[in-house]
Amino acid sequence: MEVDGRIDLSNRSGDETHAAGETSRETSNFFGGPLRSLWEFAGGVNLAERPRGLAAEREAPPGPDPSLLDTATDGLLARRASDGDEHAFETLLRRHLSLMTAYATRLTASRADASDAVQEASIAIWRELPTLTAPDAVRGWMMKIVSRKAFDLIRSRKPTADVDDDAVVAQLPVTDAGDPARLAVSADAMSGLRRALDALPALQRQAWILREVGGESYGEIAEHLGITTTAARGQLARARENLTREMEAWR
Amino acid sequence: MNDDTVTLERLAHYLDSGRVPYDPSIEDVPENASQLATLERLRVLSGELLAEDAAADPDPDPRWISGVMERVRQEARSGRDIPLDSDGAATLHMTEGAVRGLIREAGDSVPGAVVISCSLGGDVSAADAPVRVEVVISALRGQYVPVMADEVREAVTLQLLRQTELDIEAVDIVVGDVHLLETGVAS
């Protein structure tokens, strides 16, 4: 086929260096974290040697070199996924799956429910990615969908949602991996916090996790818990009192 | 407790605001400053606790992942149908989503370039209607961008001519982002 004869190649390249959708908003919550506005990939990957698509593969182009996506930023994966790239979505999901599961487990107090909630959340994330306005903050956005799906599940299971608290405690042992020097100082506090959180009534525990880990607003917490905003503030206030009182004992 | 102590809620809001502007009625009152430090520590510990939970989480069940991805593919945003033959007897089609996949593959194959997104302008569902392709890429910092953009344009054009019957009017390349090598210095 004649490439030159068929197309008029316009030359817009290089002129537009504005980053598309690169608004990085600082968030104070745990999931927001420091935002990486640049993405990185491993050197030495010879992209030129990747096989070209064959006619037989027309309906399902092969996925990209995994190392290309594995080292891409969340923001780039989110934008590719919202453009329909399933491989980018799977990479994004795998990257944050254990945190999504941990969050859902703390909220539902059930490992099995957490797995179901995260599954529903994953589909909702795929579905709603095209509406995401700040791709670089995708992790926090994903976690909000996880909490939404966790409470959908809790509501559908009432009133037995809290029965297997003990099972969760058993399944989430304190792991002593990490910096030994830091652990010497904080291990007692961490296991103390675990015990204190597990001892809190469900609403207080959920309000605390949603607020302090998920960075959700009073209004969002109230909606999740099915109570008024004033009542949500009350639950959070009691959680703060209980946890700070416990904390005094660890100092 | 004395008259100068403030509520935990007020302390939490002060913490939320990043302790700005400086509030002497909190910072300069020892009881309040102590409670504030406790709250801050609780907040940090809560984040670390979740990170520990996550680190202790076993690798995901491959069946769980494949189950999710199967549902994702069922909801694939395949877009418009694009005729594969220009002879009028348009019985063969490929989806717009598959064409996007071809564009991503071609763009990614250029060293230093990664496709962020792409769009097809024009009536792609009609055979022989002119189509304008726009590809947004991320460029490796340090590469001469105009040359890379030309290479991406060429790779995408060639790929689409080989694999589709689209009548391509133009392939526009927009550099939407710059990235670093993993070992590179932070900007």
Side-chain angles (χ1 to χ4, degrees), chain A residues 169-220:
Chain A
V169 178
Q171 281 182 25
L172 292 172
V174 178
T175 54
D176 285 347
D179 177 19
R182 191 185 62 81
L183 270 172
V185 188
S186 68
D188 283 351
M190 184 66 88
S191 49
L193 177 60
R194 280 179 192 284
R195 280 194 301 274
L197 272 177
D198 290 336
L200 285 183
L203 286 181
Q204 287 184 37
R205 184 191 74 237
Q206 290 162 341
W208 174 264
I209 295 288
L210 287 168
R211 178 72 184 174
E212 297 297 332
V213 184
E216 303 212 16
S217 69
Y218 289 130
E220 288 167 325

Side-chain angles (χ1 to χ4, degrees), chain B residues 100-122:
Chain B
R100 288 169 189 276
L102 291 173
I103 293 171
R104 279 192 291 267
E105 186 196 31
D108 289 351
S109 75
V110 173
V114 176
V115 174
I116 296 173
S117 63
C118 52
S119 59
L120 303 173

Side-chain angles (χ1 to χ4, degrees), chain B residues 90-103:
Chain B
T91 49
L92 281 171
H93 290 83
M94 79 192 295
T95 64
E96 190 173 0
V99 173
R100 288 169 189 276
L102 291 173
I103 293 171

